[in-house]
């Protein structure tokens, strides 16, 4: 029990800015054990953003409420995954050799490609959140993107080699991840999704307070609970394979990029479900 508590605390301390006051000995073993709790971290992030959005949407029009939700979303992670998104964009979009791409990604400075990729991503995320607020997002569906994007980070660690071997933070602490650890993370994500789906009908309406504004039905919600995990796997696997082909493996930056990309894809799928079906 104590080991699980420490592993969960390590996951929250590493991935978020939640005030988890616990002194930990950050060993590679602890880091690897902590990955099973990544979906729980996603649940906490999604729930906090959803509650913040519910409050903001009652006080403000949908557009500023959506922007505030996105600011809260980024702030809860300290921009950790956005940093990986920018570094990955700088490297992969440089169209250099594998070695040069890895050097560019390791550079702490952000280049033009990283800035453009970050701006475009945030614009897309804000517009999708805005659309979901207008459409009356069903309760708890906003939890799915951060839960499943963080599961895929664990899956990626176990599925592809480290591009830098044992160098860097990812190589030092996450090298040697196994399919068993990925499966443990998957089962937690699936369990959290099932609990959220069962609780959803019992909770108040979405942040906009409108349940059937665009003809949303329980069929839409049911499709979302089933399709979003599949979409997370499909988008992540496609992106992971392309990164692996270019870099000869993945890095800590690419894990963050996968998280950001998958979150955005799942928000896009939610928006399509609500507005077009």
């Amino acid at each position: 029990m104590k080991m699980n508590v420490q592993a969960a605390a390590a996951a929250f301390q590493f991935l978020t800015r939640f005030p988890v006051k616990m002194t930990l000995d950050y060993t590679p073993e602890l880091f690897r054990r902590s990955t099973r709790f990544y979906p729980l971290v996603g649940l906490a992030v999604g729930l906090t953003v959803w509650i913040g959005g519910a409050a903001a949407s009652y006080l403000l029009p949908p557009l500023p409420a959506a922007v505030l939700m996105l600011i809260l979303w980024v702030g809860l992670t300290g921009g950790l995954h956005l940093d990986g998104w920018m570094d990955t964009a700088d490297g992969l979009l440089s169209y250099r050799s594998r070695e040069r791409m890895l050097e560019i990604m390791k550079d702490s400075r952000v280049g033009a490609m990283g800035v453009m990729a970050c701006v475009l991503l945030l614009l897309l995320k804000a517009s999708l959140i805005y659309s979901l607020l207008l459409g009356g997002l069903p309760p708890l569906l906003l939890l799915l993107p951060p839960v499943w994007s963080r599961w895929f980070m664990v899956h990626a660690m176990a599925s592809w080699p480290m591009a830098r071997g044992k160098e860097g933070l990812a190589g030092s602490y996450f090298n040697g991840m196994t399919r068993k650890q990925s499966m443990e993370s998957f089962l937690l994500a699936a369990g959290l999704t099932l609990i959220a789906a069962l609780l959803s009908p019992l909770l108040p309406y979405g942040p906009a307070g409108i349940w059937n504004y665009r003809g949303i039905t329980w069929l839409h919600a049911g499709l979302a609970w089933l399709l979003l995990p599949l979409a997370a796997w499909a988008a992540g696997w496609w992106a992971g394979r392309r990164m692996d082909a270019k870099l000869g493996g993945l890095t800590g930056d690419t894990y963050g990029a996968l998280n950001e990309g998958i979150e955005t894809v799942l928000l896009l799928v939610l928006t399509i479900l609500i507005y077009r079906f």
Side-chain angles (χ1 to χ4, degrees):
M1 177 63 72
K2 181 179 179 181
M3 293 176 62
N4 285 335
V5 171
Q6 289 178 338
F12 276 90
Q13 287 184 355
F14 181 61
L15 295 180
T16 75
R17 292 297 181 266
F18 285 114
V20 179
K21 304 297 183 182
M22 183 178 291
T23 302
L24 300 170
D25 180 17
Y26 280 103
T27 63
E29 182 185 0
L30 179 61
F31 265 106
R32 287 192 291 269
R33 288 207 318 269
S34 71
T35 57
R36 74 180 66 171
F37 295 103
Y38 278 18
L40 184 62
V41 173
L43 178 77
V45 170
L47 187 60
T48 304
V49 171
W50 187 81
I51 292 171
S57 65
Y58 283 119
L59 298 173
L60 297 167
L63 183 55
V67 174
L68 286 175
M69 287 177 69
L70 183 56
I71 291 173
L72 177 60
W73 202 327
V74 174
L76 288 171
T77 65
L80 176 66
H81 307 303
L82 268 180
D83 180 70
W85 173 266
M86 291 187 287
D87 286 342
T88 300
D90 276 335
L92 293 181
L93 298 179
S94 70
Y95 299 104
R96 305 291 182 85
S97 65
R98 170 187 177 273
E99 291 74 18
R100 183 59 182 144
M101 286 182 184
L102 291 173
E103 287 180 12
I104 292 172
M105 291 166 63
K106 195 174 182 179
D107 194 331
S108 60
R109 295 168 295 181
V110 179
M113 290 300 180
V115 172
M116 287 189 288
C118 181
V119 170
L120 293 174
L121 179 80
L122 293 176
L123 283 173
L124 179 56
K125 269 192 169 182
S127 68
L128 292 172
I129 295 171
Y130 168 72
S131 300
L132 292 171
L133 287 177
L134 281 182
L137 181 67
L140 299 185
L141 280 181
L142 191 61
L143 304 183
L144 295 186
V147 165
W148 285 100
S149 64
R150 281 158 182 79
W151 161 72
F152 196 86
M153 285 199 296
V154 183
H155 181 69
M157 292 173 194
S159 300
W160 288 286
M162 300 290 177
R164 297 192 181 96
K166 294 185 178 181
E167 294 181 14
L169 179 65
S172 299
Y173 291 106
F174 297 114
N175 196 30
M177 289 285 294
T178 65
R179 293 301 180 105
K180 177 184 177 182
Q181 288 162 318
S182 173
M183 180 57 67
E184 290 173 345
S185 181
F186 172 81
L187 292 175
L188 178 58
L192 294 174
T193 299
L194 178 60
I195 292 171
L198 294 176
L199 291 178
S200 187
L202 307 178
L203 296 181
Y205 298 148
I210 307 170
W211 176 246
N212 287 311
Y213 178 67
R214 290 189 178 273
I216 297 170
T217 66
W218 290 111
L219 177 61
H220 292 92
L223 283 173
W225 297 114
L226 294 174
L227 289 180
L228 262 65
L230 293 176
W233 177 85
W237 189 255
W238 177 82
R241 287 188 65 185
R242 290 180 65 86
M243 291 176 183
D244 177 55
K246 289 179 177 291
L247 299 173
L250 301 187
T251 70
D253 286 326
T254 61
Y255 298 143
L258 284 169
N259 179 80
E260 288 291 339
I262 292 171
E263 280 185 346
T264 306
V265 167
L266 297 191
L267 288 173
L268 183 62
V269 172
L270 275 176
T271 304
I272 292 172
L273 281 174
I274 288 175
Y275 278 82
R276 293 294 174 233
F277 293 95

